[in-house]
Every structure is written in structure tokens, then in C-alpha cells.
Amino acid sequence: MPLLDRSLLWLSLVLGSCASLGSAARGNNAKDALNVLLIIVDDLRLSLGCYGDKLVKSPNIDQLASHSLLFQNAFAQQAVCAPSRVSFLTGRRPDTTRLYDFNSYWRVQAGNFSTIPQYFKENGYVTMSVGKVFHPGISSNHSDDSPYSWSVPPYHPSSEKYENTKTCRGPDGELHANLICPVDMADIPEGTLPDKQSTKQAIQLLEKMKTSASPFFLAVGYHKPHIPFRYPKEFQKLYPLENITLAPDPQVPAGLPPVAYNPWMDIRLREDIQALNLSVPYGPIPVDFQRKIRQSYFASVSYLDTQVGHLLSALDDFHLANSTIVAFTSDHGQQAVDLVELVSLFPTLTGLAGLHVPPRCPIPSFHVELCREGQSLLKHFRFHDLEEDLTLHDNPHESIAYSQYPRPANYPQWNSDKPSLKDIKVMGYSIRTTDYRYTVWVGFNPHEFLANFSDVHAGELYFVDTDPLQDHNVYNDFQGGDLLQSLIP
């Protein structure tokens, strides 16, 4: 699994034009202000038609992408839900938020940092949260960061509590907590699913805001296609098993250091996976079950696509499309144009909306409430009247994406997927350019939040042009010299 996790990011004015976006963004009153619809999905990789996937049926998301600035190489700063969401919603990297797991709140642990919705709220917007935006639990203070970030209490679907319970009817007729979980809607608690409820609530909020005197910032977070693959069973029929191909490189690369291997313990906890009696950590999943997993992932994507379609149709129905910036992103994926990072979302959305873009953070920035560590992406829109804002193109680090991932040990173990802070002993840091991905795994002190770059445990180097699947680690071929200095001019 690549440490530097490719995610999804695109931004658009769904039916608007570049010219109208430029002029509206410079408006001085609420009537001229642009609304923002931020759609966050969970664990969605590039399995979409707009990214060239010929099998996946995603017409609504593809339609949105066709009107959008779509990034081919957008990277999450950590491939775990809570740290990633806190990172891009605050515009700070995990080493600044000091959140690497699910078990702390950044305002207490690191600093009282402003968030994207908080900044919009402080600038006259009505800010609203629906579904999984911040990760629920301690990492958002059990409140989705209320009241700081939101004008009204965040909405969570009542059916969320059933996501990981025994609601999957198996071949034996009994209910199980399975990974693969197509459901009969009439057979599940409340007769609905979380993403359906979130779409309904979001549409109701859009209808209320169509006559509002204030602009809105609406964040809608969908659960799918995150595991378990729990979706209406009719979507499974879109993907006959005989049409499902296997992954192009299912084997563990020979040169992969053990610290980089993810044993997928969260998947192994599911009842249908446990029934396979796989050896830990490297036991292969049977080929026929691999196809079933991929079938259900694709079905979950298509189910998600219908929900996004309903939401975007509501923008049209309520005549909000021409005055709304739409940003669509995944918190991270499961596995070129200019490289971008999700921490760029904060300065980019504020810039598109015509707000003052927060300044770059000093180093360190724990004492600074409002700043951002990501670069603005406004230059990619090429607005003539925003040229004064496009001052970042000369930065030599623009074409580099950074990411990190914690591990409890040098070898796979039960908590390798998501170790608690106290158990983190090794931190992997990755640099990605258009040419290569370089990763170094170093010792980490969780009590002082310090990485020791002189304590190197392992390294990875992949040249992505000739090795796009990153199967051939050539790190050891470069030992003895200053590898990083030789890679970056």
C-alpha cells in the first residue's frame, strides 16, 4: 500500500462560468457572496468514470467532474479518517494538529486552530454540517467541533449506529457483521441507510437557504464506500461477478519493508472474512472472494453516486447552482498534472469565495490560531481579475506532496492499521513528485511528538513513471549517498 495516499479533489461552479466566478467572488455584500457546498466521501479511490475507469458506473459524479477543475494527483496528508479530516479542515498537517489516531482533540492537544467552516462562519456565512464531516468522537470533541465551526447543530443520521452491527443477511439466513453486505431496504433497522438520510437532510437545508439573505457553507459527509460494504442490494446487479477483474498486482512486493505493510486488521474482524481462516499478516484472500470484495466496492461507489446526484439536482431545482462553489473530495483513498494536497482546500475555498486568504503558517505555528500550511490552488483557475492573488507559482516546493503514517513496530501486528498515540514507535514520511515517491521510516517519540530522522528504520523509493504501481523498491540501490539531495534539485 503506498504510504502517500492519492485522494480525490475537484472544485467547480457546477453550471457557472469562470467569468461569473471571478466577478461574484469580489462582491462586497451578502447578495453577491458565493455559497459553498463541500462534499466529503470516505475511502473513495480513483474508481470513477471521470478518472478513466471503464467498469464503474458513476454518471452523476462524472457529470460534476466534467464541469470542474479535476486534479489527477491530489494527496491526503495521512491515510486515516480522523487525522486526514482534521488536517484538511484546519489546513494544518498531522505533525501540527498532533492527531495521528482517533483519540485526541486538536484544540486541546496542539492549538486552538481555526477551521474552514469556522472561518466562513466568522465572515457572515451560515455554516451547516450533515453526516460524516469531522470524524465523530474525541477527535472532534464529541460535537463535530461545535459550536466553533457551525451555525446550527450538526446533523447525524439516526441509522449510523447500525453500520457495524449484525444487519447483513448471509446465505445461512442469519444476520452477520460482514464486510460484504448488500441489504434489502425493507429488512434493515429504520428501513433506511445513513447516506440516504444525509442526502434528505442536506436537500431540506438547501431548500431553506434558497431564500436566505446570508450565504451558506454546507458540508455533506457520506459514509460510503468505506467498509462495511453495506448498500441497497440492487446495486450489486450492476456488476456481475464474471465482469470483475482482479487487482493488477495482488502480491506483496518483494522489496517492501515490513514496516510499510498494512495487515488490514479492520477487515479481518468482519465475520465473512474470519470464516476464510486467513493467516496473519500475509495470508492471501481467495481469488473468488477478491472478486466479491471488488464487486461490492464498485456497487458502493454507484450507490454513493446516486446520493451525490440527488444532492446536485437539488442545487439546480432551487436555482442555487450558479451561485455555489462545489468542492468534492475523499478523505483518503485505498491505495500527471500538478501535484496538490488536501491541506490546500482551506486557502483555495476562501480565495474562490472572495474572502481574505489566511496567511502561511510560521514554523512552528502552534500559537497561531488562523494560518494555513497548504498552498492556494487559485492559479489553476486562471481568473484574470484574481491575478494579484496568484503569487505562489514561483514556490519550488509547489510540485511536491507530503504525507505521513504512524506504525507501532517495524513488523505488522494487530494495531498496525491505526495505532493509538502512545503506541506509535515509527513514523513514515513521504515525499511525492511527478517522478518519484520517496519514503523514510524513522523513530518517533509519542510523548514529545518528535521524529528522529537520524534513526532510520527503513526506506522506500519508487520511480512512478516506469513503476506506476510502485512495486519495485529501489531505495537500497541508492544507499551510501545523500539520497534526498540527489532527488530534489
Side-chain angles (χ1 to χ4, degrees):
M1 180 188 77
L3 171 71
L4 195 68
D5 195 64
R6 182 184 288 190
S7 189
L8 308 173
L9 175 65
W10 56 85
L11 305 103
S12 74
L13 235 198
V14 182
L15 296 178
S17 68
C18 292
S20 67
L21 178 56
S23 58
R26 311 309 274 178
N28 295 317
N29 56 60
K31 185 179 72 171
D32 293 329
L34 290 171
N35 306 307
V36 177
L37 173 61
L38 172 60
I39 304 172
I40 302 172
V41 298
D42 205 331
D43 279 15
L44 178 59
R45 60 183 189 177
L46 306 185
S47 295
L48 295 168
C50 57
Y51 282 110
D53 194 304
K54 304 299 184 184
L55 177 64
V56 174
K57 298 173 175 60
S58 52
N60 298 295
I61 296 175
D62 296 344
Q63 176 70 7
L64 171 64
S66 71
H67 292 282
S68 303
L69 179 62
L70 184 147
F71 294 96
Q72 300 288 340
N73 285 300
F75 292 93
Q77 276 50 75
Q78 185 179 325
V80 174
C81 292
S84 178
R85 289 164 187 264
V86 168
S87 175
F88 68 72
L89 287 169
T90 62
R92 315 286 184 109
R93 301 181 188 279
D95 273 346
T96 303
T97 65
R98 291 181 168 175
L99 180 67
Y100 311 103
D101 58 9
F102 297 81
N103 302 319
S104 64
Y105 181 41
W106 81 92
R107 294 189 189 272
V108 174
Q109 193 82 2
N112 193 31
F113 306 145
S114 294
T115 69
I116 298 176
Q118 178 183 354
Y119 189 61
F120 275 85
K121 178 183 175 183
E122 292 169 350
N123 281 275
Y125 278 69
V126 177
T127 59
M128 302 166 286
S129 172
V130 173
K132 187 178 179 182
V133 178
F134 284 100
H135 196 282
I138 299 174
S139 63
S140 60
N141 201 32
H142 297 284
S143 66
D144 296 275
D145 194 46
S146 292
Y148 297 99
S149 289
W150 310 109
S151 304
V152 296
Y155 170 85
H156 279 280
S158 59
S159 62
E160 276 183 342
K161 59 181 173 288
Y162 305 111
E163 274 293 276
N164 293 298
T165 60
K166 294 187 176 185
T167 55
C168 313
R169 195 166 299 282
D172 58 2
E174 300 297 321
L175 294 177
H176 299 275
N178 286 346
L179 172 67
I180 297 175
C181 188
V183 297
D184 186 331
M185 296 298 293
D187 193 34
I188 57 175
E190 301 186 31
T192 189
L193 292 169
D195 288 349
K196 285 179 172 287
Q197 288 185 288
S198 290
T199 300
K200 182 178 180 181
Q201 175 68 13
I203 290 173
Q204 291 175 351
L205 291 174
L206 288 175
E207 185 171 19
K208 289 181 181 179
M209 294 307 298
K210 68 180 181 181
T211 56
S212 173
S214 300
F216 67 81
F217 179 103
L218 173 60
V220 182
Y222 287 115
H223 283 72
K224 292 296 161 257
H226 192 285
I227 63 171
F229 301 132
R230 187 167 173 260
Y231 56 89
K233 64 181 183 182
E234 58 266 25
F235 288 94
Q236 191 179 51
K237 299 176 183 177
L238 297 175
Y239 301 97
L241 273 177
E242 59 268 23
N243 294 343
I244 305 299
T245 58
L246 298 176
D249 57 345
Q251 305 302 319
V252 178
L256 187 76
V259 68
Y261 180 76
N262 190 333
W264 302 112
M265 296 306 297
D266 51 352
I267 289 178
R268 294 174 187 274
L269 295 175
R270 310 289 166 167
E271 290 184 29
D272 50 352
I273 299 296
Q274 288 182 336
L276 299 175
N277 294 316
L278 305 176
S279 62
V280 179
Y282 298 111
I285 295 176
V287 168
D288 60 340
F289 208 89
Q290 289 183 39
R291 286 195 171 90
K292 292 178 181 178
I293 291 175
R294 289 168 66 82
Q295 175 193 46
S296 277
Y297 183 86
F298 300 149
S300 296
V301 172
S302 290
Y303 162 55
L304 165 70
D305 180 77
T306 63
Q307 301 309 306
V308 173
H310 294 320
L311 184 60
L312 296 178
S313 292
L315 274 183
D316 287 332
D317 294 342
F318 301 141
H319 305 291
L320 294 169
N322 284 340
S323 58
T324 301
I325 300 165
V326 178
F328 182 104
T329 184
S330 177
D331 58 350
H332 56 86
Q334 284 192 328
Q335 61 165 330
V337 292
D338 293 327
L339 291 151
V340 299
E341 303 172 291
L342 295 195
V343 284
S344 294
L345 196 59
F346 198 150
T348 304
L349 285 180
T350 54
L352 286 175
L355 303 180
H356 174 72
V357 176
R360 283 188 176 272
C361 291
I363 299 174
S365 64
F366 297 107
H367 63 289
V368 181
E369 180 176 341
L370 180 63
C371 66
R372 43 88 184 189
E373 295 181 343
Q375 62 161 324
S376 171
L377 303 179
L378 284 179
K379 71 177 188 297
H380 295 287
F381 289 86
R382 293 183 171 85
F383 301 134
H384 297 300
D385 57 343
L386 294 182
E387 288 179 356
E388 66 271 24
D389 294 326
L390 311 185
T391 59
L392 302 177
H393 62 280
D394 292 327
N395 187 340
H397 299 295
E398 263 194 347
S399 59
I400 298 176
Y402 302 90
S403 187
Q404 62 189 100
Y405 201 96
R407 290 286 197 234
N410 287 330
Y411 292 88
Q413 57 186 54
W414 67 272
N415 60 343
S416 289
D417 296 14
K418 42 188 177 184
S420 296
L421 174 63
K422 64 180 178 61
D423 297 322
I424 298 173
K425 300 297 187 295
V426 184
M427 186 70 73
Y429 290 91
S430 277
I431 294 173
R432 172 65 193 266
T433 73
T434 54
D435 300 318
Y436 65 85
R437 194 256 290 184
Y438 169 60
T439 299
V440 61
W441 297 90
V442 300
F444 184 82
N445 184 326
H447 306 292
E448 298 180 1
F449 302 96
L450 287 177
N452 181 0
F453 284 88
S454 64
D455 178 23
V456 177
H457 292 226
E460 298 174 76
L461 176 62
Y462 306 93
F463 289 99
V464 294
D465 186 39
T466 55
D467 182 22
L469 298 178
Q470 301 177 39
D471 285 332
H472 305 287
N473 180 15
V474 296
Y475 175 83
N476 290 330
D477 298 343
F478 286 79
Q479 292 302 288
D482 190 340
L483 175 58
L484 186 58
Q485 186 174 353
S486 67
L487 290 172
I488 301 178

